[in-house]
Amino acid sequence: MVDPVELSRKYEGKIEIYPKIPITSYNDFALIYTPGVAEVSKAIYKDPDKSFELTSRWNTIAVVTDGTRVLGLGNIGPTAAMPVMEGKSLLFKYLGGVDAIPLPINVKSADEFANVVKALETSFGGINLEDIESPKCFYILEKLQSMLNIPVWHDDQQGTAAAILAGLINAMILTNKDPKESKVVFYGAGASNIAAARILAKYGFKYENIVMIDSKGPLYADREDVDHLMLHHKWKYELAIKTNKWEAKEIKDAFSGADAVVAASTPGPNVIKKEWISLMNKDAIVFALANPVPEIWPQDAKEAGAKIVATGRSDFPNQVNNSLIFPAIFRGVLDSRAKAITDEMTIAASEALAKYARDRGINENYIIPRMDEWEAFYEEAAAVASKAVEVGLARVKKSREEFREIAKERILRARKIMNLVISTWSP
């Protein structure tokens, strides 16, 4: 077993930068820097959008955090968050061909955070927000989406939500359940589940058929803390008002007659009880996504009546993980030079991922592609880029097949270069 600290010490970090333009003679310096570079700057000054053509901005994003909610470690601050952001950047490059710069920032307030990122906009083609505490993360995402003219994405919200939807689409098909009529329980009311409820509603599930459970139990309109939520957590408040038509007040009542449960809460086991699963409808769907231990072991869920079980782990069937989403989402928006990422684009990614699995034959143990099925990333990126064109947010307009080939070429090129560099470099 390799010690991750020693691995990081050996390589002195996970990423570094290499130039693309070859330097073959002394005269090349006059082209890549002064005086030749002034001509490039003048062209961009006349038309700022040329920065996407004449610099690496088109393929570069920032991975930004304040370190307030890092993995399962909590508020460890921006400096200690750097290894995680570096790891994320490596995944962006290997899985999506995206150049990602880790940027942990030392700020306290949500407005400070937003102002720093706004100031960075001219250097990047997109922003990936990461590991920010709730509910601050919702405010920051919405504010930056309104302020910036490049895509802003919070992976803990949208990435996980998109993976959940992709898995649910195929799980519903296998169990002959209709999203419009299905009762869905969200166990845990953090960033991913709140975003997932919104994305599912946009897809076709009904808010009234959703029950959201937080640390105090199910949300409902008359819960005693609803006024406090209205003032301090408007996103959870809105769900309390829109969901739970049964006004279920106890967890058992929430699970009773449910078709699916999506848990993103506290690591288990036995956080979700077998008796709760037994109260669900026939052929129940259970997503237990906590890491490193799911809220209920898959075997226990099946013994209690679940037909399909997914977790966040790769050593069980049906891994629902945002790593299936964020590399391709950004590949698609960067290839189309999109100005934003909408819920429609997120759903397009989910649908492409689900279709990829269906084309290969879905079953109870295969409802979503694995991370090593590289072709899925090309299809997903093309779907996102095409949707950006359709909704009028793309600066580059091509066919879906053209976007697919572009994504494939760029991802394979990045992986080839990475493998070449790693094979020839010894620390």
Side-chain angles (χ1 to χ4, degrees):
M1 186 71 175
V2 178
D3 183 341
V5 175
E6 289 305 313
L7 183 68
S8 294
R9 180 176 288 112
K10 176 181 177 181
Y11 287 97
E12 298 177 315
K14 301 180 183 76
I15 61 172
E16 62 181 320
I17 295 174
Y18 284 94
K20 290 193 289 187
I21 295 180
I23 299 172
T24 59
S25 73
Y26 181 76
N27 292 333
D28 290 337
F29 291 106
L31 285 172
I32 63 173
Y33 200 54
T34 186
V37 72
E39 296 303 314
V40 183
S41 293
K42 286 191 286 186
I44 294 172
Y45 179 74
K46 291 179 182 177
D47 179 5
D49 269 358
K50 286 200 181 317
S51 65
F52 291 98
E53 302 173 22
L54 303 178
T55 76
S56 57
R57 182 187 182 191
W58 71 272
N59 196 50
T60 306
I61 68 167
V63 180
V64 191
T65 186
D66 60 359
T68 51
R69 193 184 180 280
V70 180
L71 299 177
L73 303 174
N75 187 352
I76 61 174
T79 304
M82 184 64 170
V84 183
M85 301 309 112
E86 276 197 328
K88 190 85 170 193
S89 296
L90 190 153
L91 291 176
F92 264 117
K93 188 66 173 178
Y94 191 77
L95 297 175
V98 174
D99 296 318
I101 307 299
L103 283 177
I105 57 176
N106 190 15
V107 295
K108 297 300 180 186
S109 74
D111 286 324
E112 279 184 287
F113 191 115
N115 290 336
V116 169
V117 176
K118 172 62 179 172
L120 295 168
E121 178 181 8
T122 54
S123 297
F124 296 101
I127 302 293
N128 180 86
L129 303 174
E130 195 79 21
D131 291 348
I132 305 165
E133 65 187 349
S134 178
K136 182 164 68 173
C137 61
F138 300 106
Y139 174 83
I140 289 173
L141 176 63
E142 290 179 5
K143 182 162 186 176
L144 285 172
Q145 286 176 328
S146 69
M147 293 169 66
L148 272 57
N149 205 30
I150 57 174
V152 184
W153 169 269
H154 182 206
D155 199 40
D156 301 306
Q157 290 185 59
Q158 297 152 289
T160 306
I164 288 168
L165 175 58
L168 277 178
I169 289 171
N170 285 340
M172 291 271 164
I173 290 172
L174 287 169
T175 55
N176 295 310
K177 296 180 186 291
D178 181 354
K180 292 183 176 63
E181 304 301 326
S182 295
K183 180 180 180 181
V184 180
V185 174
F186 284 96
Y187 192 89
S192 59
N193 270 359
I194 288 177
R198 185 189 76 247
I199 295 295
L200 261 62
K202 284 280 184 72
Y203 177 76
F205 291 80
K206 292 181 179 178
Y207 271 121
E208 64 187 35
N209 293 339
I210 290 172
V211 182
M212 182 76 63
I213 299 173
D214 68 5
S215 58
K216 296 181 179 179
L219 292 176
Y220 54 95
D222 295 327
R223 206 171 79 167
E224 62 181 11
D225 62 344
V226 74
D227 290 339
H228 177 82
L229 292 177
M230 181 171 61
L231 295 174
H232 299 285
H233 200 321
K234 73 170 188 175
W235 302 273
K236 194 185 287 189
Y237 169 77
E238 289 171 359
L239 288 172
I241 300 302
K242 292 179 180 179
T243 63
N244 193 358
K245 69 180 181 183
W246 305 273
E247 296 185 354
K249 297 176 174 60
E250 303 294 333
I251 292 177
K252 287 183 179 181
D253 296 331
F255 274 78
S256 180
D259 296 286
V261 58
V262 177
S265 59
T266 305
N270 304 319
V271 170
I272 289 181
K273 303 183 187 305
K274 291 176 71 173
E275 64 184 274
W276 299 345
I277 303 298
S278 68
L279 297 172
M280 297 175 69
N281 280 342
K282 185 177 182 295
D283 295 336
I285 300 164
V286 176
F287 286 12
L289 306 181
N291 277 318
V293 180
E295 290 88 348
I296 183 171
W297 291 117
Q299 185 59 38
D300 289 344
K302 290 202 169 188
E303 287 176 1
K307 179 78 168 178
I308 295 174
V309 182
T311 72
R313 289 172 43 156
S314 60
D315 55 344
F316 290 120
N318 300 326
Q319 183 189 22
V320 174
N321 189 282
N322 53 7
S323 295
L324 288 165
I325 300 293
F326 67 80
I329 279 276
F330 272 95
R331 183 71 277 144
V333 298
L334 292 172
D335 289 344
S336 61
R337 312 279 164 85
K339 298 176 182 179
I341 301 173
T342 65
D343 286 346
E344 290 77 13
M345 292 159 70
T346 303
I347 290 169
S350 301
E351 290 177 324
L353 205 58
K355 183 178 184 302
Y356 181 91
R358 285 199 304 278
D359 288 345
R360 275 140 194 82
I362 55 174
N363 57 64
E364 293 173 22
N365 293 318
Y366 181 72
I367 61 171
I368 194 167
R370 295 181 1 157
M371 278 176 55
D372 59 356
E373 294 183 85
W374 312 124
E375 293 279 338
F377 292 94
Y378 317 148
E379 299 294 343
E380 198 180 338
V384 171
S386 296
K387 183 60 70 171
V389 173
E390 181 184 323
V391 299
L393 290 172
R395 294 179 175 94
V396 173
K397 299 174 177 63
K398 296 182 181 294
S399 70
R400 182 163 178 159
E401 184 54 36
E402 287 174 314
F403 278 129
R404 186 193 179 281
E405 290 306 309
I406 289 170
K408 180 178 180 179
E409 188 275 329
R410 286 170 174 165
I411 292 172
L412 290 178
R413 176 182 177 274
R415 199 168 297 147
K416 181 179 179 181
I417 292 172
M418 285 180 66
N419 289 335
L420 178 64
V421 170
I422 291 170
S423 67
T424 58
W425 188 78
S426 178

